[in-house]
C-alpha cells in the first residue's frame, strides 16, 4: 500500500489552503489571517525521493515562501496577482521536480 511522504502530505495541505484562498478571493474577500507557518515545513519535510532535495529545490522553496509572505502582506488590489505568482512558483518547481501534479496546480489560477 502506498504511503505518502511528509512532503506529499504537506503539499496536499498547501493545495487545500490555496484552494480556500482562491475561493475567498473569488468571493471578494480581502482579509486573510496570517501566513501559515506550517508551510515552512517545506524545508524539513521528508520527500518521496530524498535526492530531490537539492540546490534547485531549496532555492524554489525559498521563493515560494517569500511569495506567500508577500501575499499575506498584500493590499486588496494585489491579492489576485500575488496569489497567481504563488501558483506560478509551484509550477516552476514542479516542472523540474515531480511534474505529476501540474494539471491540478493549474486549477488554482484565478482568471
Amino acid at each position: 500500500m502506498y504511503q505518502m511522504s511528509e512532503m506529499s502530505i504537506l503539499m496536499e495541505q498547501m493545495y487545500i489552503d490555496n484552494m480556500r484562498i482562491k475561493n475567498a478571493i473569488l468571493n471578494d474577500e480581502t482579509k486573510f489571517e496570517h501566513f501559515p507557518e506550517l508551510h515552512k515545513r517545506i524545508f524539513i519535510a521528508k520527500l518521496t525521493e530524498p535526492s530531490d532535495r537539492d540546490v534547485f529545490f531549496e532555492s524554489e522553496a525559498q521563493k515560494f515562501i517569500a511569495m506567500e509572505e508577500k501575499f499575506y502582506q498584500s493590499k486588496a488590489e494585489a491579492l489576485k496577482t500575488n496569489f497567481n505568482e504563488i501558483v506560478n512558483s509551484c509550477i516552476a518547481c514542479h516542472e523540474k521536480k515531480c511534474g505529476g501534479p501540474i494539471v491540478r496546480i493549474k486549477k488554482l489560477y484565478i482568471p
Side-chain angles (χ1 to χ4, degrees):
M1 184 172 168
Y2 173 72
Q3 183 118 359
M4 292 175 70
S5 69
E6 289 178 5
M7 186 62 75
S8 295
I9 294 167
L10 177 61
M11 293 285 172
E12 284 296 322
Q13 185 60 53
M14 288 177 174
Y15 182 83
I16 290 166
D17 294 345
N18 284 315
M19 186 57 80
R20 180 186 48 79
I21 290 168
K22 173 187 176 177
N23 290 329
I25 292 170
L26 290 172
N27 288 316
D28 297 323
E29 291 180 38
T30 59
K31 299 279 185 196
F32 293 91
E33 294 175 17
H34 56 283
F35 172 82
E37 292 293 323
L38 173 70
H39 292 191
K40 288 186 178 177
R41 291 195 50 80
I42 196 169
F43 299 112
I44 60 171
K46 292 181 183 171
L47 287 100
T48 304
E49 235 1 275
S51 62
D52 281 341
R53 187 174 299 279
D54 57 13
V55 173
F56 172 80
F57 176 88
E58 294 295 333
S59 173
E60 292 301 309
Q62 290 285 350
K63 290 176 194 175
F64 170 76
I65 294 299
M67 287 182 193
E68 281 205 327
E69 289 173 336
K70 178 182 174 184
F71 170 83
Y72 282 93
Q73 297 170 3
S74 298
K75 297 193 183 298
E77 59 275 4
L79 287 172
K80 178 180 162 184
T81 298
N82 290 343
F83 181 81
N84 283 336
E85 286 180 11
I86 291 170
V87 178
N88 286 335
S89 175
C90 295
I91 291 172
C93 188
H94 279 273
E95 285 176 336
K96 301 281 185 188
K97 306 272 185 183
C98 188
I102 291 175
V103 170
R104 186 173 181 219
I105 294 167
K106 286 181 177 181
K107 293 177 183 177
L108 290 170
Y109 278 122
I110 300 173

